Amino acid sequence: MMLDGTEDEEKFLAAGIAGLQQNSFYMHRALDSNNLRDALKYSAQMLSELRTSKLSPHKYYELYMRAFDQLRKLEMFFEEETRRGCSIIDLYELVQHAGNILPRLYLLCTVGSVYIKSKEAPAKDVLKDLVEMCRGIQNPVRGLFLRSYLSQVSKDKLPDIGSEYEGDADTVSDAVEFVLQNFTEMNKLWVRMQHQGPSREKEKREKERSELRDLVGKNLHVLSQIEGVDLDMYKDVVLPRVLEQVVNCKDELAQFYLMDCIIQVFPDEYHLQTLDVLLGAYPQLQPSVDIKTVLSQLMERLSNYAASSAEVLPEFLQVEAFSKLSNAIGKPDMATAGVVTLYSSLLTFTLHVHPDRLDYADQVLGACVKNLSGKGKIEDKKATKQIVALLSAPLEKYNDIMTALKLSNYPHVMEFLDIPTNKVMATVIIQSIMKNATRISTSDKVEALFELIKGLIKDSDATPNDELDEDDFKEEQNSVARLIQMLYNEDPEEMFKIIETVRKHILTGGPKRLPFTVPPLMFSSLKLVRQLQGQGQEENPFGDDSATSPKKIFQLLNQTIETLSGVLAPELALQLCLQCAEAANDCELEPVAYEFFTQAYILYEEEISDSRAQVTAIHLIIGTLQRMHVFGVENRDTLTHKATGYSAKLLKKPDQCRAVYACSHLFWVDDHDNMKDGERVLLCLKRALRIANAAQQMANAARGSTGSVMLFIEILNKYLYFFEKGNPQVTVAAIQGLIELIMNEMQSDTATPDPSADAFLATTMRYIQFQKQKGGTVGEKYEPIKV
Amino acid sequence: MASRRRMLLKVIILGDSGVGKTSLMNQYVNRKFSNQYKATIGADFLTKEVQYEDRLFTLQIWDTAGQERFQSLGVAFYRGADCCVLVYDVNVMKSFENLNHWREEFLIQASPSDPENFPFVVLGNKVDVDGGNSRVVSEKKAKAWCASKGNIPYFETSAKEGFNVEAAFECITKNALKNEPEEELYMPETIDVGGGGRQQRSTGCEC
Ligand SMILES: Nc1nc2c(ncn2[C@@H]2O[C@H](COP(=O)(O)OP(=O)(O)O)[C@@H](O)[C@H]2O)c(=O)[nH]1
Ligand SMILES: [Mg+2]
């Protein structure tokens, strides 16, 4: 009968459970009435359910567990029986009369367990008998479960040293021998299973075999728990015998799994002391076994161990673990991902065990480079992921990119990454620097670092960059920008070198990157300027013009900004020019400041054509110019003249008007008495009024468009400002006239209602009212204004 | 019959690998501790005779692998558990975060009849490490979680120093005892296992 479909299987399981329950019911009844014969009869019938061949290991395990639970009760009953005077030896004989061999052996193991407990015979003899008897079951699934039952009931009764079942001098050997024998038999059953049944069911069979693996591996766990298995015993008996079985079974699944088990269940100290043997077994495994995974599991374990305490490190040194492991992984010839996985594990290991031996770490990277050489860029996703892990390991260990920069092979490994992954790695590096606030303070280091992250700094020749995601790109470049701002050295000479180095690299970045990278470079430079200025650095008395001076920095900045205007970022260039001008102003470098302003003006005139951009630019210019105090009369006149000129030429009337009245501030600088020219202030305001008027007429002509009255109110506010500041040219009469004009405008029939203008006017009027009531000089000043 | 059943109490210990499940069990049952790390494969139990309120019980304590790759046969052994012990390492956040997963996995797989009231006990282990300086899960946080899951009793333990292990298992025993036995009651006359069906199923086997 063919078994396919889990539905059938469920049915068989349910039937098995029913049969099991029925018989255990009668078994319990027998137990309650102390009827040994019935108890044996029904328990044997119950156990017959385990003779089925129709269940997958998973389902079989369910059935087995139920039988197992029942057997615990039977076991207690046997113990009670012996206490009531029944001879355990008789019991042991008695259960052997059960008709079928499988139930018989389960019962025998159960009684055997009680037998050992009774200590009427040496544990080793009973165990030996049981493990021999189990040979009677050669069906793999049934045999494996039966033997795992034996293992389970015996594991706390082994003649281990210190155990209450301890025997004579060879007691530990006896315990080990028993477990090894059971292990060997189980492994044979397990391996043989693949050859049973039709070959078309091979896949299903392998799956089932895989499910059964823990039953076999469990024996190794039992071995590891035996107290008496010390290092010598492990080295001389346990490991060789286990490996012999693993190697000789020539089965891929078993070899892969059991090697993993060995690594996981035995302690690290043992692995270190038997590295040669363990590593010697790998080349003897089937070629299809995934050795790299097993090896890297070993290395992972050992590196965790190394990381657990500094005290264990001498052990590693003593056995030369590093060279053994690195030899072992030099050999296997395998896929790229595997190679890198291994090197990455080895590197993690090295970093833990030899944190002070950077040369070892570099050796690992070097070996990896050698292994990968000739393979070009690695495309395999798994492999590139592993390379990232490999390269991240030193960063995580040292929390310091500086250390990674010392590894000469580090950049070579990075070369193997494809472009996107190279960028990922570069980002990881930058994040590490940010997270640890790593100080990168010499131009040499900056040079090395930028070499490393060049994937982010410039386009590679190979890729078209249109496939780039805009947001990713921005994020990437923002992180570069943050990095640039972190580079710092308090020595101005070195700092200047750093700036030059960064500049050299970012200038290769092309039009898309410069807008991100130039500003942070500028800020760093201006910071240096301020620092020099703070130190009150004089011009070098010896005329050594190699010394860093603000002038020199400004020169560099000037050239840098020019490249920006060349790449169609004129607005940014203009903004930066103005910032430089302001910095030069603070350094009292008039010619330099003037030069930057001129450059800004050229940009304005020649490059900025969009009207909105012009408005923004002009307000920036006015604002900056207003704060400049370094200019002499002539220069200042030239610059302000031009600024007002630009303002009046803006495209839209309202923009013109606002820029022009803003210019009024250029002629009235609060703390500088020689920069108060009431006349020209008034000229600006009047000019603004004229423009507002013109705007008004245009609006009337266009009917319905509003807004000019707003301009008048804004200008009124400017009047009030200068009035209060004591500009003699701004008179009460002028203000009064303006108020009237506004009132008329707002009440005229053609006016469209404009709530925001109403509100603004109301506030303005309230302000005047408020000032009037203030009394004192201000009150007096406002007194004549009528509202 | 019921009395025989009540003598055996089944306890399952769950939690991430490395949190100290095996060590806790060994400390409690054998009063032994080892610093060596030896992974557990599959599931198996140790038993311990305990006395509680003048009665003797056998605790059957199931230790588990906590790693999927060493739990290839599934979790049929959850069945019939009287108490489930959830262990985490107070020095490893992830092991605490995974408690929820372990609890839910248990409730799904063991499907106790009254999941709301099924007894759990939570142990925060390894409190000895580095004098408590490396702990990342505070007692308060752990207790808050326990409270949110129906007031699960909580113990801070050290398998290494034997700290609180005895007390924890006493509580585990007490709670396991409170759990109502859940033996599917078998009534012979209610189940029709016709002889024919039985015969048919036992043909496949020679042994
Ligand atoms: N310091 C300390 N280490 C412990 C404690 N419990 C377990 N360990 C260690 O943690 C590691 C894992 O323990 P184990 O019991 O195997 O964890 P399991 O995987 O949950 O069974 C072993 O190296 C133990 O020695 C404890 O309470 N304190
Ligand atoms: Mg364990």
Side-chain angles (χ1 to χ4, degrees), chain A residues 511-659:
Chain A
K512 285 189 76 184
R513 290 190 182 82
L514 285 173
F516 291 91
T517 48
V518 170
L521 180 69
M522 280 245 346
F523 292 129
S524 292
S525 309
L526 293 181
K527 213 160 103 189
L528 178 59
V529 167
R530 272 191 297 276
Q531 184 192 345
L532 287 170
Q533 195 204 343
Q535 290 168 357
Q537 201 198 345
E538 303 292 313
E539 284 297 307
N540 192 311
F542 303 105
D544 173 8
D545 48 42
S546 69
T548 305
S549 65
K551 242 189 208 157
K552 216 166 130 188
I553 301 168
F554 281 125
Q555 206 171 7
L556 191 77
L557 287 177
N558 202 342
Q559 292 161 6
T560 314
I561 295 172
E562 265 173 36
T563 62
L564 262 189
S565 49
V567 301
L568 303 173
E571 291 149 43
L572 180 62
L574 180 131
Q575 202 183 328
L576 296 179
C577 276
L578 293 174
Q579 264 157 1
C580 287
E582 208 169 340
N585 175 73
D586 298 344
C587 295
E588 308 292 338
L589 293 172
E590 183 178 8
V592 176
Y594 190 77
E595 169 68 29
F596 277 114
F597 249 96
T598 315
Q599 209 185 330
Y601 281 5
I602 294 172
L603 283 165
Y604 182 83
E605 285 173 20
E606 294 180 359
E607 310 275 354
I608 299 182
S609 49
D610 173 71
S611 66
R612 292 286 357 132
Q614 284 179 343
V615 173
T616 314
I618 203 74
H619 282 280
L620 263 177
I621 290 174
I622 297 168
T624 312
L625 191 51
Q626 196 194 339
R627 290 190 295 273
M628 305 293 284
H629 61 258
V630 73
F631 293 133
V633 180
E634 201 174 319
N635 279 343
R636 193 175 172 81
D637 269 356
T638 317
L639 294 174
T640 46
H641 182 74
K642 282 211 166 208
T644 28
Y646 296 151
S647 302
K649 282 197 218 82
L650 287 171
L651 182 65
K652 292 185 184 143
K653 289 275 183 249
D655 290 336
Q656 279 178 16
C657 174
R658 290 189 171 103

Side-chain angles (χ1 to χ4, degrees), chain A residues 254-316:
Chain A
Q255 291 184 334
F256 177 72
Y257 171 71
L258 292 173
M259 289 308 280
D260 188 17
C261 283
I262 295 174
I263 292 167
Q264 302 304 331
V265 301
F266 291 108
D268 304 281
E269 295 90 316
Y270 290 13
H271 295 321
L272 275 182
Q273 298 299 331
T274 55
L275 261 187
D276 293 318
V277 184
L278 198 56
L279 295 173
Y282 290 116
Q284 302 177 56
L285 303 179
Q286 298 303 103
S288 52
V289 174
D290 177 9
I291 297 182
K292 57 149 208 305
T293 302
V294 186
L295 259 173
S296 64
Q297 276 158 351
L298 173 65
M299 284 189 275
E300 189 187 322
R301 219 197 128 139
L302 291 179
S303 40
N304 287 340
Y305 181 51
S308 70
S309 147
E311 284 156 34
V312 304
L313 294 183
E315 274 179 71
F316 283 87

Side-chain angles (χ1 to χ4, degrees), chain A residues 22 25 31-32 49 51 66 68 101 142 152 155 211 213-214 218 221 224 260 264-265 301, chain B residues 1 4 37-39 41 43-45 60 69-73 77 79 186 188 198 201 205 207:
Chain A
Q22 185 191 28
F25 174 83
L31 298 185
D32 288 340
E49 296 298 339
R51 294 162 66 211
R66 287 171 186 260
F68 183 92
I101 181 165
R142 275 169 259 156
Q152 175 69 70
K155 82 168 256 210
E211 286 176 10
R213 63 181 189 260
D214 284 348
K218 187 59 161 286
H221 177 246
S224 79
D260 188 17
Q264 302 304 331
V265 301
R301 219 197 128 139
Chain B
M1 181 161 119
R4 193 187 306 284
Y37 179 51
K38 303 169 183 175
I41 292 186
D44 75 286
F45 66 81
Q60 190 184 68
R69 75 181 202 272
F70 293 134
Q71 202 75 268
S72 65
L73 271 172
F77 59 90
R79 212 186 65 92
Y186 173 73
R198 312 275 309 130
R201 286 195 313 111
C205 179
C207 50

Side-chain angles (χ1 to χ4, degrees), chain B residues 89-151:
Chain B
D89 177 344
V90 298
N91 309 289
V92 180
M93 185 52 78
K94 189 93 203 124
S95 71
F96 175 72
E97 291 166 354
N98 280 343
L99 286 185
N100 212 31
H101 154 82
W102 288 114
R103 181 175 168 275
E104 272 165 21
E105 143 110 2
F106 178 83
L107 289 176
I108 290 168
Q109 299 291 344
S111 46
S113 57
D114 184 8
E116 297 292 304
N117 294 310
F118 186 86
F120 286 92
V121 173
V122 170
L123 308 185
N125 191 39
K126 302 203 194 181
V127 289
D128 62 284
V129 173
D130 198 13
N133 287 322
S134 61
R135 83 180 278 166
V136 292
V137 183
S138 68
E139 185 169 359
K140 196 168 146 222
K141 187 168 178 175
K143 281 188 167 160
W145 185 81
C146 290
S148 76
K149 301 293 170 191
N151 282 321

Side-chain angles (χ1 to χ4, degrees), chain B residues 15-24 33-40 63-65 125-129 157-161:
Chain B
D16 285 4
S17 83
V19 297
K21 298 179 296 298
T22 306
S23 302
L24 283 163
F33 175 82
S34 157
N35 269 317
Q36 294 174 336
Y37 179 51
K38 303 169 183 175
T40 306
D63 180 26
T64 57
N125 191 39
K126 302 203 194 181
V127 289
D128 62 284
V129 173
T157 58
S158 161
K160 181 171 183 164
E161 304 189 334

Side-chain angles (χ1 to χ4, degrees), chain A residues 655-723:
Chain A
D655 290 336
Q656 279 178 16
C657 174
R658 290 189 171 103
V660 167
Y661 73 60
C663 283
S664 65
H665 289 285
L666 295 177
F667 305 106
W668 196 274
V669 181
D670 266 347
D671 299 323
H672 297 262
D673 277 343
N674 61 341
M675 285 195 253
K676 288 196 172 113
D677 186 341
E679 195 96 30
R680 294 177 75 175
V681 168
L682 190 64
L683 275 175
C684 284
L685 296 183
K686 282 188 168 162
R687 198 165 178 186
L689 271 177
R690 271 202 307 279
I691 301 171
N693 244 325
Q696 175 75 351
Q697 267 150 33
M698 279 170 68
N700 286 346
R703 285 213 151 221
S705 47
T706 61
S708 327
V709 74
M710 198 69 177
L711 291 175
F712 287 121
I713 305 171
E714 288 168 28
I715 298 171
L716 170 61
N717 274 276
K718 286 291 160 197
Y719 267 82
L720 290 172
Y721 173 84
F722 288 108
F723 177 66

